[in-house]
Amino acid sequence: MATTALEHAPAYQRSTIVEWLTTVDHKKIGIMYGASAFIFFLIGGIEALIIRAQLATPNGTLVSAEMYNQLFTMHGTTMIFLAVMPLSAMFFNFFVPLLIGARDVAFPRLNAMSLWVFILGGIFLNASFLFAAAPNGGWFGYAPLSSRQYSPGMNMDFWAIGLQILGIASIAAGVNFFTTIINMRARGMTLMRMPIFVWMTLITQVLVLLSFPVITIALVMLTADRTFGSGFFVTAAGGDPMLWQHLFWVFGHPEVYILILPAFGIVSEVLPVFSRKPLFGYSAMVFSGAFIAFLGFGVWSHHMFATGMGPLADSFFSLATMLIAVPTGVKIFNWIGTVWGGSISLKTPMLFALGFIAMFIIGGLSGVMHSVAPADLQQTDTYFVVAHFHYVLFGGSIFALTAGAYYWWPKMFGRMLDEGLGKWHFWLSMIGFNVTFMPMHWVGLLGMPRRVYTYPEGLGFDLFNMVQTVGAFILALSILVFMWNVIRSWRGPADAPADPWGGATLEWSIPSPPQEFNFAEEPVVAEKDAFWAMKDAAGVDRFPEPGHVSGRGIHMPGPSWWPVVVAVGLLMFFVGLMVHRSWAFPFTPVSIAGFALMVFGVFKWAYEPVDAHAPQH
Amino acid sequence: MLTPRNIEEAAMTSAVLDHDAHPAPEAHHTSLPIDNRKLAMWTFIGSECLLFASLITTFLIYRDSSVGGPGPKDMFEVPLVTFGTAILLFSSFFVVMALDGAKNGNRKKLILWLSLTVMCGLFFVAMQVYEFNHFYHKGLGYSTNLFSSSFYTLTGFHGAHVAIGTVWLATLLKDAIKGRIPAEKAINLELSALYWHFVDVVWIIIFPVVYLMSLGR
Amino acid sequence: MRLVRAPWRRFLPVGLLSFVLLGLAGCTDGSKYPQSTLHPKGDFAAMVDEVFMTTVWLALIVFIVVEGGLLWAIWRFRAKPNDARPKQIHGSTVVEIIWTVIPAVVLAFVAVPTIKTIFATANVPAASPGGEAPLKVEVVGHQWWWEFRYPEYGITTANQMHVPVGRTVDLRMKSVDVLHAFWIPQVTGKRDVFPNRETRLWFTALETGEFPGACTEFCGLQHARMDLYVMSQTPEEFAAWVALRKRDPEMSGAASTGTGHVTVDTIVRDTMSGTAVAAARGPDALPTDAEQAAPVPGDPRIAEGKALFTKKACAGCHSLNSIDQPKRSVGPNLAGIGVRKMIAGGWLPNTDLNLKRWIMHPQDVKPGVAMKGYTLSDAEADAIVAYLRTKR
């Protein structure tokens, strides 16, 4: 189908809301991922604060046991699926095409669909609170507690179906980004010249593609048990709870790397720029990332040491888990090697990146302690584990994502974030984080189990918990500082230059924010750190500010309603599943209407002529 | 059977049907000598392998764990399924012929072989509907026991894949009849053929693993 | 808004390290932390502690070296005005091989004791350290309490497991509903409890004392209130306890008639005094004997309580008899409830007041429990408490 360069945008695109709803621009999609994920992050954070307030003193009564169980389940589910993953997706969306010198992702409309499915799925999950039926069986949904018999309410239906919806968004995005990175790179950008963030994104997509189908099936079986009365995880029918655990962790452990590998990538981009020195051991960084991902599929049972798998299995999974420390160590040492001998400028992105390394080391070391299967028999399901994964997911992922936010903010919005507020943000985070989570190591070793809505006095947990709660509120304060920083920059002038940090990669070669088509001319790459190489070749530290160009003659895909339509149809289909429970008539009218809408959307989408148009500027 | 996974399928299908997902051909360059859509399809198939691996594993674990109720030996009737398997195998050959027709701009050949492929797909779906109905009346409901649940889930998922593939191929057949698949657009058929082969290969695994092995024990 | 850099930078490592050390120092006093994993009082826990401490020391060294290196690099290579462009180093194969190999070697020092301990703890020893055959205890997990059965003696109890010090305990565990996990940190690690298969765990208590434990696999609404106690007693104390359990409950209940209570009381005093009471917990945390009123012979409330126990259908779910009980009882066995340390699933001190509240308003004390609550007058509740106090 021929594409033509239109001289004006289609008429229906005039309203701003419509423009955002129908956009297929990876940058706008990225911003929407970021904005919605940040809102979910705040919701998850408020849940965490209520949890901490409840646990501040023994026998706390701020919330009921039922409410607490909903809060901790939703806190985990939200932070994993609705905050960290989509915050990473924000950077994938906005920056992968820029970093590889492309004008968009391989399938822009599919990209929009992923976004809308994610947003609707997130709203669906949180809507459970309106029915006082938020998921309450833990983010791991262990059978048989998650079965209809032991969880009769709608709570775990929301969970199983919500995760199913989010999984669809993730797999679609996985296919899209895998294809984009493999096939849409600028001329000359071989795989081993790709920025490391792109590499980590690529590996993350492989993990998504190979792990999410497994949880899809597990969730289908759980939903079938709950809705159609099958017995996959019902012990009375011969079902085995261990099957759920295996399927869940075959997904769940790679999921951990899905959360952390993008963070590795961001930090690996930030450190060289603020040290003015290339990444130390690029190939080792690539291969260690790939090796971590590979091993990540062979260690799932270390979440199950307490199930009594027998000494041989325990030994295997212990050793495999320890082995992961080797490539992870390589990464940490290479990061230190990167700053070593550099000229380190402690701007906010760099502070967060360095803070990431410092905190991730602690999380990594406690991780090795868990790999010691006998020791894990004492640690698992205690606050020691809670401390561990917050060091890797907050001190790790969130610190790195924050580094990325400060680093790329000027490129995304054409505005700088304030350095002074940024430093306040960093130090408050650092202090609040450690005051919250460091004592969790001790209180865990002193015997405090996880997922308890309260604890008795006299076990020595009291002081630790009070300190943690204080820390959590300091941490919350740091987030408020960040939000104030964002509001300030929003109100301030659009002052960001194209290349504020002396960047190494292609996104800094174009105006901030980029024009819709990204690159007026598709770049040609000759080596790693392509933009540094270009500046070196020209013998300059900074290029003059690039001007905006008309973009006439550049063909970009036009907006489309169909991704939203398909996403809404999909949501309706799943909402329909919620209200009905019989095998004889498995689908309610809502489901059928949703399905029909989706099929309609897919066909319209498939036959939609692309309104290629030249952006108006 | 309609399952949540279908929707994902449909969504993916749409991606693959994306005629103009990327800028115009002359401006378009890919890093590897493979069309984006084809690469995406391969990627998706890679992901699907894990989906079916999970289903088949579950079936194998649960096949003999039922608490009461009929088992594989009470149900399976190999001749019909063998015939269905053969039909599905032939359809893979037919779609190759159709694709050859499309690539050479031979519309008659395209339409002939594509029609045969669609008919094979329809036959297979019909066979499965018959089989499920037959089993159901022999007392094997979806939630009768672990064997039935895992059997219906696995073969149901596969059947849904076949159904989607059939609808997709039928859509292309309609396009072909209207003359909308010239040689340079043979890729549209190639994508569905790729998917079709995958669905076929999955059945080649399911047939011996689910039917023959369950009986041979 | 500008922060002075240098003090912050010094503060961080010093602050963090002192924070860490302070915390560790805080953990050293075991008596304050009865549920601690760091103060093993059982052989299983001691073996685990040993391998854990090995990893702690190695980790501490790695922590100091790596964090130190990072902080030193940040300080040493901080940007100075008019810095020239640093030397552009892209890596060094030799260095990278070194820092791939070193962690691998360090891990070997963790791996070897790990594997040894895995195998050492995997199976229940054939005999106790003293040569006796291990004591079998069947553990049954319920939402949200523990049933303990001693097949050797044919007795059943709930939430409070008595074991003789020095004799290996062989736990065979199963759940009647969802997954649970059994954990007594001071004597052994944790093991999940499944409804469809038996799991095993073992320990030998090396000291007498009271060791609290908890369910650690999320098991629903009241997961937080599913605790237990292990009472490690001298063999003589344990034998006395077993003897007490094997008595006909009507004989201990016979206290109400004014006969036999003295004998019972004497045995109780023998079994529950001394080490067992004084150990493990701080003095204030425990219900003292005074809070558990000793039954007064001839107290008319006892007989009334006994009648109410049947009338109000308590007996429908709770047995006061420890001997030859059917498996998987609906409610916890109440033999010995009169002197049990905790109630309501092992977390609420067994004072008269608590017991009364628990009987009268179970859904307030522990919402969601199977005991839905019965209309009891204040006097009726007092009578039941008085009756239960005779169950020693």
Side-chain angles (χ1 to χ4, degrees), chain A residues 1-3 103 105-110 113 164 167-168 171-172 174-175 178-179 181-187 208-211 213-214 216-217 220-221 224 228-233 235-241 243 247 522 555-557 566 570 573-574 577 583 587 595 598 602-603 605-610, chain B residues 1-8 10-41 43-44 46-48 50-52 54-55 57-58 61-62 65-67 136 141-143 145-146 149-150 153 157 167 171-172 174-175 180 185:
Chain A
M1 215 162 288
T3 53
R103 288 200 170 132
V105 295
F107 306 105
R109 288 180 288 175
L110 184 66
M113 191 206 77
Q164 196 71 278
I168 291 166
I171 292 180
V175 170
F178 185 86
T179 309
I181 295 169
I182 293 294
N183 232 13
M184 304 275 286
R185 284 164 286 138
R187 282 172 217 280
V208 167
L209 290 166
L210 297 183
S211 67
V214 181
T216 298
I217 291 307
V220 163
M221 294 195 282
F228 303 135
S230 56
F232 289 106
F233 306 117
T235 46
D240 191 349
L243 179 67
L247 291 174
E522 288 184 27
H555 298 275
M556 294 302 291
V566 170
L570 192 138
F573 174 80
F574 280 110
L577 284 185
W583 174 238
F587 302 104
F595 187 76
M598 199 168 54
V602 165
F603 273 89
W605 175 341
Y607 287 101
E608 179 178 45
V610 172
Chain B
M1 191 184 79
L2 294 170
T3 65
R5 188 70 187 186
N6 292 16
I7 296 142
E8 194 168 334
M12 290 310 308
T13 309
S14 65
V16 185
L17 283 168
D18 228 349
H19 294 270
D20 299 276
H22 42 74
E26 68 278 6
H28 173 60
H29 110 96
T30 58
S31 311
L32 299 184
I34 177 172
D35 185 274
N36 274 347
R37 290 169 289 168
K38 218 159 135 187
L39 178 61
M41 184 44 93
T43 311
F44 177 63
S47 185
E48 289 269 278
L50 269 289
L51 186 96
F52 282 105
S54 308
L55 284 165
T57 310
T58 303
I61 291 171
Y62 278 164
S65 310
S66 301
V67 177
Y136 182 76
Y142 180 75
S143 53
N145 57 19
L146 281 180
S149 302
S150 52
T153 308
F157 259 86
V167 170
T171 311
L172 289 170
K174 188 198 81 182
D175 281 6
R180 285 195 198 139
K185 298 204 119 197

Side-chain angles (χ1 to χ4, degrees), chain A residues 12-24 28 32 559:
Chain A
Y12 62 77
Q13 206 199 320
R14 283 186 194 128
S15 130
T16 319
I17 291 173
V18 168
E19 192 184 321
W20 284 90
L21 274 174
T22 60
T23 186
V24 296
K28 285 184 176 159
M32 285 191 280

Side-chain angles (χ1 to χ4, degrees), chain A residues 31-315:
Chain A
I31 288 168
M32 285 191 280
Y33 259 114
S36 47
F38 189 73
I39 291 168
F40 289 128
F41 174 75
L42 292 180
I43 294 173
I46 289 166
E47 285 156 6
L49 289 179
I50 300 172
I51 287 172
R52 280 313 329 156
Q54 162 79 0
L55 294 179
T57 51
N59 301 316
T61 52
L62 180 69
V63 293
S64 67
E66 173 59 32
M67 185 42 120
Y68 184 90
N69 293 344
Q70 295 185 11
L71 286 172
F72 87 73
T73 301
M74 281 304 285
H75 171 70
T77 307
T78 301
M79 288 307 194
I80 290 166
F81 295 100
L82 303 180
V84 174
M85 278 182 77
L87 284 170
S88 301
M90 162 176 75
F91 292 124
F92 300 161
N93 267 282
F94 203 103
F95 288 102
V96 162
L98 297 183
L99 285 163
I100 62 174
R103 288 200 170 132
D104 209 322
V105 295
F107 306 105
R109 288 180 288 175
L110 184 66
N111 203 24
M113 191 206 77
S114 294
L115 168 78
W116 294 113
V117 172
F118 152 69
I119 289 180
L120 292 175
I123 292 171
F124 173 83
L125 257 176
N126 279 285
S128 58
F129 278 114
L130 302 178
F131 298 88
N136 59 358
W139 88 281
F140 46 92
Y142 268 13
L145 181 62
S146 51
S147 68
R148 181 68 67 198
Q149 185 187 356
Y150 297 107
S151 296
M154 293 208 297
N155 312 55
M156 293 312 278
D157 294 321
F158 273 111
W159 182 78
I161 291 172
L163 252 54
Q164 196 71 278
I165 297 174
L166 295 172
I168 291 166
S170 294
I171 292 180
V175 170
N176 206 344
F177 280 91
F178 185 86
T179 309
T180 303
I181 295 169
I182 293 294
N183 232 13
M184 304 275 286
R185 284 164 286 138
R187 282 172 217 280
M189 183 174 279
T190 59
L191 286 175
M192 292 308 279
R193 285 177 190 161
M194 291 197 310
I196 209 86
F197 176 69
V198 178
W199 257 113
M200 293 305 126
T201 307
L202 181 68
I203 294 168
T204 303
Q205 305 316 323
V206 173
L207 287 173
V208 167
L209 290 166
L210 297 183
S211 67
F212 269 79
V214 181
I215 192 71
T216 298
I217 291 307
L219 290 169
V220 163
M221 294 195 282
L222 179 64
T223 310
D225 276 6
R226 293 183 58 84
T227 307
F228 303 135
S230 56
F232 289 106
F233 306 117
V234 177
T235 46
D240 191 349
M242 283 295 272
L243 179 67
W244 171 268
Q245 294 195 17
H246 280 294
L247 291 174
F248 185 83
W249 290 115
V250 164
F251 149 78
H253 199 77
E255 171 69 18
V256 173
Y257 297 110
I258 291 169
L259 300 173
I260 196 68
L261 285 174
F264 288 174
I266 292 169
V267 167
S268 303
E269 296 299 330
V270 170
L271 292 175
V273 169
F274 293 89
S275 310
R276 297 172 67 196
K277 202 171 149 281
L279 188 69
F280 194 92
Y282 173 90
S283 341
M285 287 304 230
V286 170
F287 291 121
S288 58
F291 193 48
I292 289 171
F294 174 75
L295 287 176
F297 274 101
V299 297
W300 76 89
S301 284
H302 69 208
H303 296 269
M304 298 156 62
F305 282 140
T307 60
M309 296 177 293
L312 280 176
D314 282 1
S315 302

Side-chain angles (χ1 to χ4, degrees), chain A residues 59 150 240 245 276 278 281 284 306-307 322 334 343-344 358 377-381 442 445-447 453 536, chain C residues 19 35 37 52 67 77 79 83 88 90 96 99 107 177 179 183 185 190-192 196-197 216 222 225:
Chain A
N59 301 316
Y150 297 107
D240 191 349
Q245 294 195 17
R276 297 172 67 196
T307 60
M322 285 177 199
N334 278 0
S343 168
I344 301 169
L377 291 185
Q378 290 285 28
Q379 295 156 8
T380 188
D381 284 325
W442 305 318
L445 291 174
L446 293 176
Y453 71 89
D536 280 356
Chain C
F19 199 43
Q35 205 158 298
T37 65
F52 174 66
E67 297 277 9
F77 300 108
D83 256 2
Q88 302 291 293
H90 287 270
E96 286 173 66
W99 65 43
L107 282 172
D177 36 52
L179 305 191
W183 188 37
K190 56 182 84 67
R191 183 72 76 210
D192 290 346
N196 61 332
R197 67 192 181 98
T216 49
Q222 288 293 344
R225 297 305 203 190

